Amino acid sequence: MAHISPFRALRYDPARVAVSEVATQPYDKITPEMQDRYYGTSPHNLVRIILGKRNANDGPADNPYTRAAAFFRDWRVEGVFQQDPKPSIYRYAQRFTVPGTNTEAERKGFIALGKVEDYSAEVVFRHEQTLAKPKADRLELLRATRAHFGQIFMLYSDPSAEIETALASSEAPIIELKDEYGVLHQVWKISEPGILDVVGAKMRDKKLIIADGHHRYETALNYRNERRAAAGASQGDEGRSRSSSLSQEPPSYEFAMMTFINMDSPGLLVLPTHRVVHGLASFSMESFGQGACSFFSVGEVDRSVDSTRAKAILKEAAQTGNAILAVGADRVFLLSRSKAPASVFGGLSLRQQGLDVVQLHKCLLEGVLGLSEESIRDQQNLTYIRDADEAMTMVRTGRANVAFLMNPARVQQVRDIAFAGEVLPQKSTDFYPKLLSGLTVYALE
């Protein structure tokens, strides 16, 4: 059962700073150019905490993590961060234009604390694998600051939208800003005990899927385990039960800050993440097309196809099965109606085998191009690109060998994979827009 809790968030004092100048995109979406821009926007921009710059003389006593802790401590003392007086849930809405269209959409959710659960408890489910290096980085930051600054993006199912209805408010938002992508972010503070009780009760029977933030979630798990061990409560459930019965509420490190979104909401948008292969010494579209014939029906597409037409071709082809568009400098192939033998997929389930991204990785990247799982994981010859036009341009300007364009995964596919205890290749989903960091902060101490 999902255990959520209101909390007294730390928030930027609007009398001291404009939230639009200090909130950021999630740490893993911040490019070096964005980092520089955030640094120049405000001396209190959250980037100094969540992704501080490294110096040549960094050492154990002075490094991005110790500096982050110092910034956080100083900003609390100076009143840059103020703590809300009452435990609250924070309704969070995002209004945006669907990329590549003129369609306006709104995604609604709420920010609260969620109890960190082992996957084996079957309360929280993942759908992607994680890497050790990003988790080590986030763990160092959490140890140093003892606070959560970014959101773990969680999905729950509520077809009748009862929770969204309970949180609806006619009052003005306490936070409102547009980010660099034109997305309008609005936050309302909900403190009424009756509403908090209703939402907590309705969430109790929910199962949660991590949409975005797998590394941060597993970091919270690792940190929880460290703190349990330090508290002498790592000897099993009995010891933890005694501790909980005395305090009535689990310790702060048992929770992480999460944004909960209804997966049945029409505002939930998943974009594709295209793959661009580069640095192959002896690549030709002719030999690639021949190799792909072993796995797909291969059809030729006009080499001058643009991204708009490419998306239309993919959407139409998806009606009869898998669809991947391989864009080379001189030829373009539509790969459809998979005929790959089951042996190519090893022990992957039929659910996984049916996904375009799995077909791409196993049949084309590994099977035809000969890329190893390790090289794909380390992105040695692979770049992930959201924008189809950018991916095609990289190939047509000679910066890459081939671009693979795909349709987005459907939410139902992600749900089925996650609840079956299975995982997808990295960058299989791109939930848009991203949740901003810095709207609320959860301090463990």
Side-chain angles (χ1 to χ4, degrees):
M1 301 193 328
H3 181 170
I4 72 157
S5 178
F7 69 115
R8 295 172 59 210
L10 285 174
R11 296 189 293 112
Y12 279 104
D13 181 356
R16 298 286 302 273
V17 295
V19 180
S20 60
E21 296 180 355
V22 291
T24 75
Q25 296 294 319
Y27 82 99
D28 55 342
K29 299 300 179 183
I30 299 175
T31 65
E33 294 75 21
M34 292 169 68
Q35 185 187 43
D36 288 340
R37 176 164 52 79
Y38 285 147
Y39 259 79
T41 300
S42 168
H44 297 112
N45 189 283
L46 193 72
V47 74
R48 286 174 168 79
I49 293 177
I50 65 171
L51 194 66
K53 291 185 176 181
R54 297 184 179 274
N55 299 328
N57 58 350
D58 280 348
D62 186 17
N63 56 60
Y65 311 112
T66 61
R67 292 191 290 271
F71 283 128
F72 185 45
R73 180 184 63 249
D74 292 347
W75 296 353
R76 293 179 75 174
V77 170
E78 295 165 5
V80 174
F81 284 125
Q82 295 280 354
Q83 189 166 32
D84 283 331
K86 296 180 180 179
S88 304
I89 284 175
Y90 300 83
R91 180 174 174 249
Y92 183 12
Q94 296 166 290
R95 296 181 186 176
F96 59 97
T97 302
V98 177
T101 74
N102 294 319
T103 303
E104 298 294 322
E106 183 177 29
R107 189 173 71 190
K108 303 174 184 177
F110 67 93
I111 303 168
L113 301 186
K115 192 168 185 290
V116 178
E117 304 275 4
D118 294 312
Y119 293 135
S120 60
E122 297 189 339
V123 174
V124 174
F125 296 80
R126 59 179 178 166
H127 76 272
E128 285 189 354
Q129 293 280 16
T130 56
L131 300 176
K133 187 175 180 180
K135 286 190 290 187
D137 165 61
R138 292 298 95 181
L139 185 55
E140 287 293 333
L141 181 65
L142 184 52
R143 286 169 177 160
T145 61
R146 300 202 172 193
H148 294 274
F149 301 93
Q151 305 294 332
I152 300 172
F153 187 163
M154 290 292 195
L155 300 175
Y156 67 93
S157 180
D158 184 15
S160 57
E162 293 180 345
I163 293 171
E164 290 178 26
T165 300
L167 289 171
S169 174
S170 59
E171 296 184 3
I174 59 170
I175 299 173
E176 185 170 84
L177 71 149
K178 275 194 176 182
D179 68 17
E180 55 262 70
Y181 302 108
V183 178
L184 177 65
H185 301 260
Q186 297 174 303
V187 177
W188 292 259
K189 183 167 58 127
I190 311 295
S191 306
E192 292 81 351
I195 297 177
L196 302 183
D197 289 344
V198 167
V199 173
K202 289 186 178 297
M203 286 294 295
R204 205 160 288 141
D205 66 344
K206 305 299 185 188
K207 293 183 177 182
L208 306 174
I209 296 174
I210 305 171
D212 211 349
H214 287 77
H215 290 95
R216 278 162 282 170
Y217 185 79
E218 294 185 13
T219 294
L221 272 173
N222 292 336
Y223 184 74
R224 180 207 67 180
N225 293 341
E226 284 187 356
R227 293 291 299 271
R228 280 182 176 180
S234 59
Q235 301 305 313
D237 291 336
E238 183 179 352
R240 288 193 292 276
S241 296
R242 284 198 301 270
S243 174
S244 295
S245 65
L246 293 174
S247 63
Q248 299 301 315
E249 185 71 15
S252 60
Y253 53 77
E254 297 280 344
F255 292 89
M257 187 169 61
M258 304 175 183
T259 294
F260 300 88
I261 304 286
N262 182 7
M263 72 176 76
D264 303 302
S265 169
L268 186 63
L269 176 66
V270 185
L271 300 178
T273 301
H274 310 297
R275 272 66 169 158
V276 176
V277 176
H278 51 81
L280 301 183
S282 56
F283 175 84
S284 78
M285 282 298 285
E286 176 68 27
S287 59
F288 168 79
Q290 293 173 357
C293 286
S294 300
F295 303 101
F296 297 94
S297 295
V298 179
E300 191 118 16
V301 174
D302 184 350
R303 60 181 290 185
S304 65
V305 64
D306 62 13
S307 59
T308 301
R309 178 60 183 148
K311 293 174 188 176
I313 291 171
L314 284 168
K315 185 176 181 179
E316 181 179 356
Q319 297 177 13
T320 57
N322 298 106
I324 299 168
L325 205 65
V327 180
D330 54 351
R331 302 180 75 176
V332 179
F333 297 129
L334 174 64
L335 314 175
S336 60
R337 295 189 296 278
S338 173
K339 53 185 178 181
S343 58
V344 171
F345 303 101
L348 297 182
S349 70
L350 292 176
R351 280 181 297 269
Q352 292 167 296
Q353 293 178 33
L355 294 173
D356 290 347
V357 66
V358 172
Q359 294 271 340
L360 169 60
H361 276 245
K362 292 299 180 183
C363 299
L364 301 178
L365 298 183
E366 297 178 30
V368 177
L369 298 181
L371 302 182
S372 67
E373 287 187 20
E374 182 180 7
S375 72
I376 293 171
R377 184 171 59 248
D378 295 340
Q379 300 181 39
Q380 294 177 9
N381 296 97
L382 192 66
T383 300
Y384 298 97
I385 302 291
R386 175 193 290 171
D387 185 73
D389 188 62
E390 180 183 353
M392 298 170 77
T393 298
M394 289 180 68
V395 174
R396 289 169 172 170
T397 57
R399 291 178 287 151
N401 302 109
V402 59
F404 295 105
L405 308 185
M406 292 183 296
N407 290 305
R410 300 190 307 277
V411 174
Q412 186 64 45
Q413 291 176 310
V414 175
R415 173 181 176 151
D416 292 345
I417 292 289
F419 284 163
E422 301 167 351
V423 293
L424 300 173
Q426 279 199 300
K427 307 293 185 182
S428 296
T429 57
D430 183 5
F431 288 88
Y432 183 87
K434 299 305 176 187
L435 305 172
L436 289 188
S437 296
L439 301 179
T440 58
V441 176
Y442 172 44
L444 277 62
E445 298 176 355

